[in-house]
Amino acid sequence: MKSFILGLTGSIAMGKTTVSEMFKDLGVPVWCADTAVQDLYQPNAEGTRKLKKFLPTAVDKNGVNREILKKFIHKDNEILKNIENLIHPLLQSSKEIFIKENHLKALVVFDIPLLFEKNQQKNFDATLLVTASKETQKERALSRGNLSKKDFELIKKKQLNEKNKIRRANFVFNTDKPIEETKSEVKLLYRKILNKEIVRK
């Protein structure tokens, strides 16, 4: 049996992490790009070793200092491309290992914020976009207290607009509605995949 591979994505503060947790609650293995990067940036991790050679001042005793890294990236966009070239192969390897480890599971989810921006949809059997209104997104993002309006706008600039993403996605969950409704949508999609009602792309 080959696992159904679902790519889960959504812009900042759209509810993607909440949906990801709902899949986990159903026993679905979820690989998270942000968590994988955090692991690679730990002290002595492979990503940290690679970045230490490229940007020594961005690494300290705690591993990669993401605040310093962010400053470098804001100054020079070429630096971001170089970092991606170093880290992407490590993330790809992590994904492959995750699929092998969970090959007996009917469904495996990959939580990737920039899935469409990086044109990765072809790597999945289907894609699920989590979205919400602009007003909801902004309110959620700024209410967290750890993000300035400037940083919020910078993050949004790196992401495709919602209409573009909605066109590309196989499934779209809008999280403006009550959380119980989203939970029901997740359960229904999971059941359809288990029952093979959804055809792989």
Side-chain angles (χ1 to χ4, degrees), residues 106-149:
L107 171 64
V108 176
V109 171
F110 282 84
D111 174 343
I112 302 174
L114 298 177
L115 190 153
F116 291 124
E117 286 80 357
K118 299 298 180 186
N119 210 28
Q120 291 187 25
Q121 59 268 30
K122 59 187 177 296
N123 300 331
F124 304 100
D125 293 317
T127 54
L128 166 60
L129 172 69
V130 181
T131 189
S133 67
K134 286 180 183 177
E135 295 75 19
T136 299
Q137 180 189 28
K138 190 171 184 178
E139 186 184 322
R140 284 176 184 166
L142 299 180
S143 68
R144 292 172 181 175
N146 60 352
L147 196 69
S148 67
K149 282 185 181 179

